[in-house]
Amino acid sequence: FDEVRRLPTGECVLIIEVDSSYRSGNLTPAHELFHQVQNGYAPFKRPWFYEGTARWSETILGKSVVVARPIPGNEEDIKFFWAQSYAAVSVWYGLIERCNQKSVKVAVPDHLRALRYRSGRLVILDDDTPGHDFIRQVLEELNKLGDRVTQTEGMKRYHWPERAQRDPRYDADIWSALPGC
């Protein structure tokens, strides 16, 4: 599900279904949950943003090592970045590193901190979330951009046609909306 739903009470919600066949440690549910967070903020599904930052969300739980790549500095490098998908995570880490974003300590309730996979390994290893503030700022800026484009294009908020959500013509606007550091 990729759109905000309205309950009979009027409350807006995001819905995700998780198949019980996922093995312990599979980070796909975290990745898909982050897509729901993205969908709640902004309508853009350009792979360099959509998949790159969803991959970032996986690294929080999976403790994958991501080597930060330099931020694209010229038009050719930017266009190459915009052609990326999951691999764009390295540039997102470069953006986080450049912006000196400190890890945020997330308050995790004890009952969640105690959860373990079937193997016995803790699900949540620590409470550090590198890049949290930067990614939140990105989502907030893209929310504003999404509202402007919705109004300009005469579309309905949270119900953009899929083709519009994936349209590369928004790449430069998305890039320009990223917080300056």
Side-chain angles (χ1 to χ4, degrees), residues 34-51:
F34 191 75
H35 281 322
Q36 290 297 71
V37 171
Q38 292 167 314
N39 297 336
Y41 273 95
F44 305 106
K45 290 185 180 175
R46 295 295 299 141
W48 63 272
F49 156 67
Y50 201 63
E51 299 301 345

Side-chain angles (χ1 to χ4, degrees), residues 16-24 26 28-29 32 118:
I16 185 170
E17 292 180 5
V18 179
D19 189 323
S20 63
S21 66
Y22 283 114
R23 291 186 326 247
S24 293
N26 184 315
T28 301
E32 297 305 322
R118 287 183 210 151

Side-chain angles (χ1 to χ4, degrees), residues 70-135:
I71 290 88
N74 60 48
E75 189 175 335
E76 183 180 336
D77 290 343
I78 290 171
K79 287 184 177 181
F80 178 77
F81 173 54
W82 292 347
Q84 300 293 302
S85 183
Y86 299 96
V89 68
S90 294
V91 172
W92 285 102
Y93 263 89
L95 287 161
I96 290 165
E97 192 175 87
R98 180 186 81 186
C99 294
N100 269 338
Q101 299 299 312
K102 294 177 177 60
S103 291
V104 171
K105 299 285 186 191
V106 177
V108 179
D110 289 338
H111 71 281
L112 293 178
R113 189 175 298 285
L115 291 176
R116 295 181 177 275
Y117 291 111
R118 287 183 210 151
S119 67
R121 183 173 69 86
L122 289 170
V123 173
I124 300 173
L125 300 176
D126 61 33
D127 51 8
D128 283 337
T129 311
H132 174 275
D133 286 345
F134 177 74
I135 297 296

Side-chain angles (χ1 to χ4, degrees), residues 131-144:
H132 174 275
D133 286 345
F134 177 74
I135 297 296
R136 189 192 76 241
Q137 289 173 9
V138 166
L139 293 170
E140 289 171 353
E141 291 303 315
L142 293 184
N143 184 341
K144 294 173 194 171

Side-chain angles (χ1 to χ4, degrees), residues 30-32 34-35 52-62 89:
H31 180 100
E32 297 305 322
F34 191 75
H35 281 322
T53 56
R55 182 60 53 96
W56 163 82
S57 76
E58 289 178 33
T59 65
I60 294 167
L61 289 177
V89 68

